[in-house]
Amino acid sequence: MPSKVGRGRAPGKAILFGEHFVVAGNSAIAMAINLVNQVAATFRGDGKIRVQSSELGGAGIFDGPAFQPETPGADRALLEPVKVAASAALKEINSNTGLNVSVEANVPISVGLGSSASVAVATIGAVASLLDRSIPRGRVFALAFESERLLHGNPSGIDQMIVLNGGIISYQRDRGIKALEQAPSDFSVLIGNTKVRRSTGTVVARVLAFRDREPGRFRALAEDAAKIVAEAQEAIIKLDYSAIGRLMDQNQRLLVEVGASSAELDKLITAARASGAFGAKLTGAGGGGCMITVADDSTRDRIVAALREFGADVYEVYVDETGLDSWQEPN
Ligand code: PMV
């Protein structure tokens, strides 16, 4: 086997406005963030797929449907989406080679920052590069969906789209993306991570149950969400943090009503606002995971300290303009 390594990198993401309502067909706005996952793929001769990642709980070997842990406590549920993404890429390029796939996951997992979509996309890029192939973006999107479905049921696709594309985008399920072309590249938000891991599928199911119980109310909230997203797009382009914060507060009220928030998120959101933030909301599915907030230079440090006091990990993030990148190196 030739000794070479295929590498892929893809960012995490933060949904700025419109999560959950995007599942029902609304537009949402998402930003690729400068927390980045890296994947390396090399050949192995036995046709099996070995996945290794300390952040995803260890290493194990997939041999068809069988899984053999290699390290104590290796978590099949966390490693399998990587194997599914790698297999999807192999199938796409008609290869049945064995692989060693190693993931350096810098995007925290299961907290709404797009870690699984990012790992899937970076894995597909790494495998294609190892095999001297380039898979068109539309196909990477479709293939990443296979591993996302394993985790999330019926996702809208916004996570894969933003981590593939980079930048700041507006996404609608049936129309795809529109990059916010004039979005400022120095746009920045603070993220507070409750460190409460949750399943996107569970929270989405809770929100859909709300929709089924109260269809009229859900429709009214979805209309409000659409207005907020339209206004937010303008505010982001103008880098008007004060308007962005006000719209975050409005968006959060809708998310609370449909049952997407949690006590931990509410605490961090209240703490950010009390420390002078322009506004704050949950990001991603909610039910735990992360919140986002915007502030000016005079209050940022105070807000970071307040969030930490409540036990949060805090990241000040900027826009990742690159999205997926993949290449090959000698090993
Ligand atoms: O997986 P998360 O936490 O980034 O949430 C994705 C956003 C949702 O709108 C809640 C679900 C979806 O598929 O769009």
Side-chain angles (χ1 to χ4, degrees):
M1 287 279 167
S3 177
K4 51 190 183 181
V5 53
R7 292 194 186 277
R9 62 82 79 190
K13 66 98 216 321
I15 297 182
L16 300 175
F17 293 95
E19 54 272 271
H20 285 292
F21 298 100
V22 68
V23 178
N26 272 25
S27 292
I29 303 174
M31 143 189 199
I33 60 176
N34 59 337
L35 300 175
V36 172
N37 288 326
Q38 318 255 13
V39 176
T42 57
F43 290 113
R44 56 184 288 141
D46 59 5
K48 298 175 186 173
I49 297 181
R50 177 180 188 271
V51 181
Q52 181 278 324
S53 170
S54 45
E55 299 83 11
L56 300 180
I61 294 185
F62 293 90
D63 182 6
F67 174 72
Q68 196 191 336
E70 262 196 358
T71 53
D75 188 343
R76 177 176 186 152
L78 291 177
L79 297 174
E80 190 153 19
V82 182
K83 178 255 177 183
V84 170
S87 299
L90 288 177
K91 190 161 166 233
E92 181 78 4
I93 49 195
N94 288 318
S95 168
N96 57 6
T97 180
L99 293 170
N100 297 304
V101 183
S102 164
V103 179
E104 186 191 313
N106 296 307
V107 181
I109 59 173
S110 299
V111 289
L113 299 183
S115 60
S116 59
S118 170
V119 167
V121 158
T123 299
I124 294 165
V127 172
S129 290
L130 176 68
L131 287 144
D132 297 306
R133 296 284 292 271
S134 151
I135 300 178
R137 288 201 163 203
R139 287 299 302 155
V140 177
F141 176 83
L143 298 174
F145 234 130
E146 292 182 25
S147 74
E148 284 289 278
R149 277 211 194 91
L150 202 67
L151 290 172
H152 299 330
N154 183 20
S156 66
I158 190 169
D159 285 14
Q160 297 95 288
M161 194 55 98
I162 182 62
V163 304
L164 249 175
N165 191 77
I168 303 180
I169 63 162
S170 151
Y171 177 83
Q172 198 171 4
R173 197 165 194 159
D174 297 324
R175 299 220 191 112
I177 60 163
K178 207 168 119 243
L180 264 60
E181 298 296 353
Q182 309 110 304
S185 56
D186 56 348
F187 181 73
S188 160
V189 296
L190 285 173
I191 297 179
N193 181 359
T194 64
K195 296 182 271 186
V196 176
R197 288 188 187 173
R198 81 294 169 280
S199 135
T200 297
T202 308
V203 190
V204 169
R206 197 188 307 157
V207 173
L208 292 179
F210 175 93
R211 181 183 69 175
D212 295 344
R213 239 178 12 252
E214 300 193 42
R217 184 68 192 139
F218 187 84
R219 254 196 314 279
L221 294 173
E223 273 170 32
D224 290 348
K227 285 186 204 134
I228 291 169
V229 165
E231 271 189 59
Q233 198 156 318
E234 296 302 311
I236 291 166
I237 288 168
K238 289 192 204 134
L239 205 56
D240 181 349
Y241 282 119
S242 154
I244 292 167
R246 177 176 46 81
L247 292 162
M248 283 182 171
D249 285 348
Q250 291 176 15
N251 196 157
Q252 176 64 13
R253 278 198 286 278
L254 310 182
L255 290 163
V256 168
E257 189 167 342
V258 297
S261 203
S262 73
E264 293 86 356
L265 283 167
D266 293 346
K267 256 187 234 158
L268 295 187
I269 289 166
T270 305
R273 288 176 185 155
S275 311
F278 289 127
K281 63 182 275 296
L282 66 84
T283 184
C290 292
M291 49 74 75
I292 51 173
T293 180
V294 284
D296 65 18
D297 292 342
S298 66
T299 52
R300 194 168 291 118
D301 289 350
R302 189 149 30 107
I303 294 164
V304 171
L307 295 175
R308 290 204 175 120
E309 227 166 87
F310 279 98
D313 283 348
V314 183
Y315 325 106
E316 182 173 3
V317 298
Y318 292 86
V319 182
D320 176 274
E321 299 286 356
T322 308
L324 169 65
D325 193 14
S326 61
W327 63 99
Q328 193 191 91
E329 287 170 7
N331 200 4

